[in-house]
Amino acid sequence: LFTYNKEEAVVSTQSTGENYKDRKLCTAEGANVKPIEKPDEPGQEKLEKQEGNRLATWFRDTLGRETVKEVKMSDRQHSQPAVVTVENLTTLRRYLEMAPPEQKAESYKYLLHNNVVLELNPVHPIIKQLSSLRDSNPEVAELVAGQLFDNALMNADLVHDPRRMVGRINKLLTAVTKGKEE
């Protein structure tokens, strides 16, 4: 079922969880969609499960429990280091788009942060490197964690004000280029 405007998307996703001809309706973007089982590609090593769980806990504590509902390791994605999933993402996105301008910031804070699940890709090089970076350079690791979260929100079209990322990006660029001048 495809929708072509905001109103159709909101109405059609209101019926998520309902059945149509003995089939459960859900959005393809939703957190309740199970990923297709894919065999691991040769040469791709996953983060160890125990280390992945420690990293997910560190991520949640770093981002703050008021920012993200849950952080977990996932095989859902293979090209991105992290994605966000939200139940009824399409509906939520449409509600946020239709919110009055003076209420947008508060709507984003309330609706998003109570529902966002951050899924980390245990195969992605950034996630594997971040696992060791949090011990060797915790300040930069926290900047990277925040940026990965914002990148995942941006990929889901859930960023209200991207300007708030600029300061963090500049700090990351400073950390990366420090000592590189010739």
Side-chain angles (χ1 to χ4, degrees):
L1 176 63
F2 292 97
T3 58
Y4 296 98
N5 63 44
K6 295 175 190 175
E7 293 79 12
E8 285 178 354
V10 170
V11 171
S12 67
T13 55
Q14 288 291 325
S15 60
T16 299
E18 307 248 341
N19 292 323
Y20 176 74
K21 292 187 179 182
D22 297 326
R23 304 256 183 190
K24 185 177 178 186
L25 297 176
C26 65
T27 63
E29 301 173 311
N32 59 353
V33 176
K34 302 289 183 231
I36 297 171
E37 293 293 325
K38 289 173 61 174
D40 291 339
E41 293 181 24
Q44 282 193 328
E45 294 181 24
K46 283 185 181 181
L47 205 57
E48 293 292 327
K49 185 173 183 163
Q50 188 176 18
E51 181 58 26
N53 290 336
R54 281 195 299 264
L55 183 63
T57 300
W58 174 83
F59 242 97
R60 189 193 63 227
D61 294 342
T62 299
L63 295 173
R65 294 174 191 261
E66 67 281 349
T67 301
V68 65
K69 178 180 173 182
E70 179 184 2
V71 179
K72 63 184 181 179
M73 302 307 283
S74 172
D75 292 326
R76 178 186 295 266
Q77 73 284 353
H78 290 281
S79 63
Q80 296 296 319
V83 297
V84 293
T85 56
V86 179
E87 285 297 324
N88 296 322
L89 178 60
T90 303
T91 304
L92 181 62
R93 189 183 300 130
R94 299 303 181 228
Y95 278 136
L96 292 170
E97 286 175 2
M98 294 187 292
E102 64 276 1
Q103 294 177 358
K104 271 202 197 279
E106 195 60 36
S107 295
Y108 268 84
K109 183 177 178 183
Y110 177 74
L111 291 172
L112 272 183
H113 299 149
N114 292 328
N115 296 301
V116 171
V117 175
L118 180 66
E119 297 186 9
L120 304 175
N121 181 352
V123 176
H124 200 281
I126 293 174
I127 298 301
K128 292 191 290 190
Q129 292 165 6
L130 184 59
S131 182
S132 60
L133 184 64
R134 69 190 167 124
D135 295 325
S136 64
N137 196 340
E139 292 170 358
V140 172
E142 287 181 18
L143 293 171
V144 171
Q147 192 58 49
L148 286 174
F149 179 64
D150 280 344
N151 289 356
L153 286 173
M154 197 175 305
N155 278 335
D157 196 23
L158 292 172
V159 173
H160 167 62
D161 185 9
R163 293 174 295 179
R164 67 184 179 83
M165 290 187 281
V166 173
R168 183 186 321 110
I169 291 171
N170 287 335
K171 288 177 185 175
L172 280 167
L173 292 171
T174 300
V176 168
T177 59
K178 189 185 289 184
K180 304 283 186 200
E181 23 335 291
E182 296 179 68

